[in-house]
Amino acid sequence: MIFRQLFDGVSGTYTYLLASRRGGEAMILDPVIAKVDRYLQLIAELDLHLVKAVDTHLHADHVTGLGMLRDRTRCITVMGEQTKADVVSMRVAEGDRLTIEGIALDVLYTPGHTDDSYSFVMDDRVFTGDTLLIRGTGRTDFQNGDARQQYDSIFSKLLKLPDDTLVYPAHDYKGDTVSTIGEEKAFNPRLRVRSADEYADLMAGLHLPDPIMIDVAIPANRKVGLAQDDFAARGWAVSAAEALALVGRPDVAVIDLRERSERARHGVIPGSLHAPYRDLAEHIGRGGMIYELAAATNKRLLFYCAFGERSAMAVQAAQDMGLATACHLQGGIDAWKKAGGALTR
Ligand SMILES: [Fe+2]
């Protein structure tokens, strides 16, 4: 396994790069925008292919690297379903599994620091975001933070993991890099409380100053979606209302780019083909399923995904391959549902 803990000294942020092998798929957790060149250099040096960029929550102390990594690698951006970000490619929820080749992260919803805070369990370790820090916990005084919820996330979820589970937080300001659940149970001063009320009192007494970058970071992190201004002008975007009239027509091929777990949870547009985004390059190349379908039938290709970001990247890639009939469902299945579109499961 490839496991790299990277550090941004300005914000004290830890970023994690994960892959199962050299030459394989990679995932990055909590990337910082100022370090994107460094991540991409390391990814190239290790011969990796970045497929997912994940934020544990909407950060207030640094601008996320999610948008820039997506623009430079066409990777999928991921956050929890409560995120206030305008668009991320994929939203996860408690009980989901976030996967890349050879690696699976179990998704835990751990609100309290913010209402969109998640932790991710991978084999012998857990990425705790700003929920549980080394000998500390994340502040709960902004972005819908809630000390009682955080108490619950820590005591009912994270501390239930085996004691030897390695704890990798999103921040450290003292130079510590890793801990364990057992160590935090024994020595974390914030956890020496007997109830949620006592914990809430402790957190309410902290009176921390706002992070220096809060006024820049939060607005920037809420606007991470892919710029698609010229898609409609080029005829590459179809609204959900327009799609209602296109789906089911014999001259239109509807193609779902989502993963199996998303299809099971949210349903499928009737009659659509399934071609997961991660295999897109293969499908739209000469000899690939989508390329040959378009060449043989001249059908219009209507891509869709969860929120319209993967499908927008797919349209761009397909158009680059000369597939001139490619367009996408703007806003994804989310918009389709809101327009009253039918679903099958
Ligand atoms: Fe945070």
Side-chain angles (χ1 to χ4, degrees):
M1 185 179 64
I2 294 170
F3 175 84
R4 295 296 167 89
Q5 183 180 38
L6 302 156
F7 186 60
D8 172 49
V10 176
S11 60
T13 303
Y14 285 128
T15 299
Y16 300 94
L17 179 67
L18 314 174
S20 62
R21 63 177 179 95
R22 266 182 175 264
E25 292 184 348
M27 171 162 18
I28 197 163
L29 298 181
D30 289 327
V32 177
I33 195 166
K35 297 284 183 197
V36 162
D37 284 339
R38 171 67 190 132
Y39 307 144
L40 292 175
Q41 181 191 10
L42 181 60
I43 285 165
E45 286 165 353
L46 299 176
D47 191 24
L48 299 173
H49 169 47
L50 185 67
V51 297
K52 283 182 181 155
V54 184
D55 266 352
T56 52
H57 62 287
L58 198 132
H59 296 284
D61 62 334
H62 67 268
V63 177
T64 176
L66 253 57
M68 191 180 280
L69 285 168
R70 177 208 52 229
D71 290 344
R72 291 177 58 179
T73 68
R74 289 184 174 168
C75 70
I76 295 175
T77 56
V78 183
M79 290 184 77
E81 63 179 356
Q82 294 81 1
T83 183
K84 307 290 188 297
D86 54 350
V87 179
V88 287
S89 301
M90 187 177 193
R91 294 183 181 213
V92 292
E94 170 88 14
D96 281 349
R97 294 199 106 190
L98 185 56
T99 61
I100 59 167
E101 175 201 4
I103 287 181
L105 305 187
D106 287 314
V107 178
L108 291 182
Y109 179 43
T110 51
H113 170 58
T114 64
D115 61 353
D116 70 343
S117 288
Y118 278 77
S119 299
F120 299 94
V121 180
M122 180 176 90
D123 304 325
D124 63 344
R125 61 200 65 196
V126 57
F127 302 99
T128 54
D130 290 356
T131 302
L132 178 62
L133 305 176
I134 299 172
R135 308 300 190 263
T137 56
R139 62 193 296 172
T140 55
D141 56 339
F142 52 61
Q143 288 198 286
N144 298 322
D146 184 315
R148 285 179 181 80
Q149 275 191 335
Q150 188 173 55
Y151 177 90
D152 221 48
S153 296
I154 293 172
F155 282 85
S156 307
K157 289 187 179 169
L158 296 174
L159 298 189
K160 299 283 194 232
L161 294 168
D163 277 356
D164 58 356
T165 307
L166 298 167
V167 172
Y168 284 103
H171 288 291
D172 193 86
Y173 309 100
K174 311 171 298 291
D176 291 323
T177 56
V178 60
S179 179
T180 66
I181 289 294
E183 236 178 277
E184 292 312 307
K185 268 185 196 166
F187 305 117
N188 190 322
R190 294 261 176 95
L191 307 185
R192 289 190 188 141
V193 289
R194 279 157 301 181
S195 67
D197 285 341
E198 206 178 304
Y199 184 71
D201 288 345
L202 172 72
M203 296 306 282
L206 293 177
H207 303 299
L208 298 166
D210 277 352
I212 296 162
M213 282 187 70
I214 189 167
D215 293 331
V216 175
I218 292 181
N221 291 339
R222 284 186 174 181
K223 280 196 64 167
V224 293
L226 179 77
Q228 301 178 30
D229 306 340
D230 53 347
F231 272 55
R234 294 185 191 183
W236 294 0
V238 167
S239 71
E242 291 166 330
L244 289 172
L246 289 176
V247 168
R249 272 176 42 171
D251 57 339
V252 177
V254 184
I255 301 164
D256 184 1
L257 298 166
R258 294 170 304 155
E259 299 184 3
R260 252 187 316 195
S261 58
E262 298 175 276
R263 286 159 60 83
R265 185 187 284 271
H266 300 289
V268 173
I269 296 178
S272 47
L273 304 169
H274 185 211
Y277 178 78
R278 69 169 50 156
D279 302 327
L280 182 74
E282 197 181 303
H283 289 317
I284 62 173
R286 226 169 254 280
M289 183 188 76
I290 295 172
Y291 185 93
E292 296 303 325
L293 172 78
T297 66
N298 204 32
K299 282 185 196 242
R300 189 163 182 197
L301 303 173
L302 176 59
F303 291 106
Y304 76 95
C305 59
F307 301 99
E309 190 161 273
R310 275 169 282 184
S311 57
M313 293 192 286
V315 168
Q316 182 70 62
Q319 292 283 348
D320 291 348
M321 290 300 297
L323 298 173
T325 70
C327 61
H328 85 121
L329 170 57
Q330 216 168 356
I333 201 155
D334 183 54
W336 172 259
K337 275 188 200 174
K338 285 173 183 156
L343 295 171
T344 54
R345 288 191 188 261

